[in-house]
């Protein structure tokens, strides 16, 4: 196997491996690259739903069926990220997957099934690099602070539909999902590195602090977190696979292809409750 880093802070292409035939030694190599590069890419991998589930299980216990996304027939844990004629994607947001959960996912495995002739790239950004690049006073301002995360952006989207009463299915589910609170700076549970933990889709506001300190500007943190210097952009091909560390990245789907059909399969691995990074060590 050969690993080619794709940017200074994030992303690597791994070649010389068939993910359908990945023994323990090869997986250990892949997992090490996953931790180091935060998102890893593969070409010419043609994974059946069974094979994709088996690969994802090597990273940990799988999430149950997504509450909003459709799924591959017979495989509720294989979500369909699909665009069809007459049902284009709506507004895209930078996001870290499912931070509206108490324990957001550890990682995701995304496999390209059908693609437009052009467009539809995905961009990832390193939140470890984003945190490292903050000036000292900004790091001090967000130390030990928390933010509220809640479901947002699915209502009225291509993943929504009317229920039996003619109301939004997503809104009906969302009303039973409580907002959660996560640290603004989290500690990676395996590497121990700090990462900025905000995203424009699900981070709704920074929580009031008991010490009365002035709250940091959330919109400024959003803008900082998606700076091009922290990014890697991936152009999909049929058979491409991306696996990203959801604990220290966020990503953005480029919706520049209208309603041209596009389909990817996504499997998500369970994570743990984010822990605050102690700046004092």
């Amino acid at each position: 196997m050969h690993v080619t880093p794709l940017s200074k802070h994030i992303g690597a292409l791994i070649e010389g491996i068939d993910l359908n035939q990945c023994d323990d030694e090869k997986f250990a190599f892949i997992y090490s690259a996953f931790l180091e590069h935060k998102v890893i890419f593969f070409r010419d991998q043609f994974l059946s739903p069974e094979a994709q589930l088996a690969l994802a299980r090597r990273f940990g216990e799988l999430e149950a069926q997504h509450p909003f996304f459709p799924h591959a027939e017979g495989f509720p844990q294989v979500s369909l990220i699909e665009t069809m004629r007459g049902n284009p994607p709506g507004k895209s947001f930078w996001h870290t997957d499912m931070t509206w959960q108490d324990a957001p996912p550890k990682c995701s495995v995304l496999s390209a099934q059908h693609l437009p002739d052009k467009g539809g790239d995905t961009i990832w950004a390193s939140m470890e690099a984003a945190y490292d690049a903050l000036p000292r006073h900004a790091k001090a301002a967000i130390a030990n602070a928390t933010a509220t995360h809640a479901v947002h952006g699915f209502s009225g989207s291509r993943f929504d539909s009317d229920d039996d009463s003619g109301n939004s299915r997503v809104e009906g589910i969302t009303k039973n999902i409580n907002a959660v609170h996560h640290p603004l700076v989290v500690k990676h549970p395996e590497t121990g590195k700090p990462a900025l933990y905000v995203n424009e889709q699900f981070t709704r506001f920074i929580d009031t602090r008991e010490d009365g300190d002035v709250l940091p500007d959330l919109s400024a943190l959003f803008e900082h977190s998606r700076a091009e210097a922290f990014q890697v952009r991936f152009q999909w091909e049929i058979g491409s696979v991306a696996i990203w560390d959801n604990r220290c990245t966020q990503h953005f789907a480029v919706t520049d292809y209208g309603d041209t059909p596009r389909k990817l399969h996504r499997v998500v691995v369970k994570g743990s409750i984010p822990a605050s990074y102690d700046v004092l060590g």
Side-chain angles (χ1 to χ4, degrees):
M1 284 184 287
H2 180 68
V3 179
T4 304
L6 300 180
S7 76
K8 180 179 180 181
H9 297 294
I10 183 172
L13 177 67
I14 300 182
E15 299 171 287
I17 175 68
D18 180 353
L19 293 176
N20 286 290
Q21 300 178 11
C22 183
D23 60 25
D24 290 345
E25 182 179 1
K26 292 174 181 176
F27 181 74
F29 182 92
I30 288 170
Y31 197 82
S32 177
F34 161 78
L35 290 179
E36 179 179 357
H37 298 286
K38 303 168 187 63
V39 55
I40 49 178
F41 305 108
F42 305 82
R43 300 288 191 190
D44 302 318
Q45 307 290 326
F46 300 96
L47 301 177
S48 67
E50 295 95 336
Q52 188 171 348
L53 287 166
L55 174 63
R57 285 192 184 99
R58 303 189 78 158
F59 287 85
E61 183 181 355
L62 302 186
E63 287 273 356
Q65 180 179 344
H66 193 281
F68 308 127
F69 295 169
H71 60 81
E73 186 175 357
F75 299 95
Q77 291 171 301
V78 180
S79 295
L80 293 180
I81 310 299
E82 186 171 16
T83 297
M84 295 179 285
R85 291 294 184 188
N87 190 21
K91 181 180 179 181
S92 191
F93 299 91
W94 278 96
H95 64 285
T96 298
D97 286 336
M98 300 166 69
T99 61
W100 39 268
Q101 293 188 156
D102 282 322
K106 171 184 178 179
C107 64
S108 293
V109 179
L110 191 61
S111 173
Q113 306 295 309
H114 183 82
L115 299 167
D117 291 336
K118 59 181 179 180
D121 296 354
T122 305
I123 307 170
W124 281 264
S126 168
M127 294 302 94
E128 290 177 359
Y131 177 77
D132 288 344
L134 286 171
R136 183 177 300 179
H137 69 85
K139 290 178 178 177
I142 62 177
N144 303 315
T146 63
T148 296
H149 295 242
V151 177
H152 171 259
F154 296 115
S155 179
S157 74
R158 57 180 164 161
F159 303 113
D160 199 3
S161 59
D162 291 343
D163 61 21
D164 293 339
S165 301
N167 299 314
S168 164
R169 181 182 64 88
V170 166
E171 290 181 5
I173 297 170
T174 300
K175 67 183 180 182
N176 296 314
I177 301 176
N178 295 324
V180 297
H181 306 274
H182 295 309
L184 285 185
V185 185
V186 296
K187 178 181 179 180
H188 195 285
E190 295 184 77
T191 68
K193 294 180 180 179
L196 182 62
Y197 204 68
V198 298
N199 69 89
E200 67 175 349
Q201 183 163 8
F202 303 130
T203 311
R204 310 316 298 154
F205 53 85
I206 296 175
D207 301 327
T208 302
R209 299 173 67 151
E210 294 181 0
D211 55 19
D213 284 355
V214 176
L215 299 179
D217 184 339
L218 185 57
S219 61
L221 290 176
F222 290 158
E223 188 68 24
H224 172 77
S225 69
R226 55 182 176 244
E228 188 173 354
F230 313 140
Q231 296 179 9
V232 63
R233 182 169 181 144
F234 187 64
Q235 184 175 6
W236 292 95
E237 299 172 359
I238 294 175
S240 295
V241 170
I243 305 173
W244 65 92
D245 192 332
N246 198 58
R247 301 165 295 186
C248 58
T249 66
Q250 58 178 283
H251 55 281
F252 179 86
V254 182
T255 54
D256 57 353
Y257 53 94
D259 66 351
T260 305
R262 177 181 185 268
K263 181 168 71 174
L264 299 97
H265 285 174
R266 191 184 81 165
V267 179
V268 179
V269 178
K270 286 185 176 181
S272 55
I273 295 174
S276 179
Y277 180 76
D278 184 356
V279 295
L280 299 178

